Amino acid sequence: YAIMLVPMVVARIGTIPFLASGGVALGIFFCYMQALARLGHDRYAGARRQIAIGMAVITIVTNAFYFLKVFPPLPLVLTQAGVYHHVERMDGDFQVSQEEVPARWRNLFGTYPVMHIQHGGKLYLFSAVFAPRGLTTHILHEWQWLNPAGRDWITQQRVDLGIRGGRESGFRSYSVKSAPGPGEWRVNIETADGRAIGRVRFSVEEQAVPPAVITKILK
């Protein structure tokens, strides 16, 4: 809880709030151990070494996971994301145009949406990211194309988006990619320092006529 408490109080995320959170956690643990020492001095004295080693291991592993970017960027949470043919803000909501989306169970077998576009068309990536009230930060939409020759992901575009906390369903924003080439694509939704919040996968196919789309409202 301390890891999330400090970013919420200072309305910031990053290395300094994380280290401050660790300091708060160690302070709380120290006070707890002092209470145990007074209530059960003999039992505490016998287990003090094991407790200290365990706390040191937890601290080292937690910090290692943070700096290796294994931990998700708490308290940011992706609540909604998708790729669309058009996104437009209308009366506080977002109107999007999309093709038929495959059933959720098909994603388990690696089947991702196929976006049919005309040559030189555009695609939009919409995301909603929850953040606590008062927190203001930046996220990135990293558009990547899978190189069929080397089977490596090549970054085509990185879009910086500001977000503000407080909305229960997440702060909504979107980015646009002009003329995405045919093939497999993914958009990584991440913090400015590269911590993953979420990812959207899809494929692109070109065709001569505009694709058939449906329109819906995202609240």
Side-chain angles (χ1 to χ4, degrees), residues 145-163:
W145 173 74
L146 182 62
N147 180 10
R151 300 301 296 175
D152 55 330
W153 291 98
I154 300 176
T155 298
Q156 301 289 316
Q157 176 175 289
R158 289 166 63 87
V159 182
D160 185 295
L161 301 167
I163 66 170

Side-chain angles (χ1 to χ4, degrees), residues 25-39 44 51:
L26 287 174
I28 294 173
F29 179 78
F30 177 78
C31 293
Y32 176 72
M33 296 311 298
Q34 288 295 105
L36 286 182
R38 293 186 178 184
L39 294 175
Y44 171 77
I51 294 173

Side-chain angles (χ1 to χ4, degrees), residues 1-13 17 21 74-76 130-136:
Y1 290 106
I3 292 177
M4 296 181 61
L5 178 62
V6 172
M8 292 173 65
V9 171
V10 302
R12 288 180 55 196
I13 61 174
S21 298
L74 297 174
L76 302 182
F130 169 81
R133 184 177 301 278
L135 191 150
T136 300

Side-chain angles (χ1 to χ4, degrees), residues 47-209:
R48 181 171 54 187
R49 178 180 173 83
Q50 291 86 343
I51 294 173
I53 292 174
M55 186 60 188
V57 170
I58 292 173
T59 302
I60 292 171
V61 170
T62 300
N63 282 272
F65 278 14
Y66 175 83
F67 288 104
L68 291 173
K69 300 181 180 180
V70 175
F71 281 154
L74 297 174
L76 302 182
V77 178
L78 183 67
T79 59
Q80 188 176 6
V83 60
Y84 301 99
H85 285 279
H86 185 72
V87 176
E88 182 179 0
R89 190 178 183 93
M90 298 185 65
D91 298 327
D93 295 322
F94 285 81
Q95 179 178 285
V96 300
S97 300
Q98 68 176 123
E99 297 182 58
E100 181 182 359
V101 178
R104 289 184 180 272
W105 65 266
R106 293 175 62 185
N107 290 339
L108 298 176
F109 300 94
T111 301
Y112 299 102
V114 178
M115 309 300 292
H116 299 89
I117 66 171
Q118 293 180 282
H119 180 73
K122 297 180 180 180
L123 288 177
Y124 296 69
L125 195 288
F126 173 91
S127 66
V129 176
F130 169 81
R133 184 177 301 278
L135 191 150
T136 300
T137 187
H138 287 259
I139 64 170
L140 296 174
H141 284 182
E142 182 182 45
W143 292 74
Q144 294 185 319
W145 173 74
L146 182 62
N147 180 10
R151 300 301 296 175
D152 55 330
W153 291 98
I154 300 176
T155 298
Q156 301 289 316
Q157 176 175 289
R158 289 166 63 87
V159 182
D160 185 295
L161 301 167
I163 66 170
R164 297 190 304 274
R167 188 174 185 274
E168 184 176 349
S169 298
F171 187 88
R172 300 162 297 175
S173 55
Y174 66 91
S175 61
V176 185
K177 179 69 179 75
S178 298
E184 295 184 45
W185 285 80
R186 71 184 185 186
V187 180
N188 300 317
I189 304 165
E190 57 189 33
T191 60
D193 62 351
R195 301 179 190 279
I197 302 173
R199 174 180 292 164
V200 176
R201 289 279 303 270
F202 57 95
S203 297
V204 174
E205 294 182 2
E206 288 188 358
Q207 62 184 31
V209 297

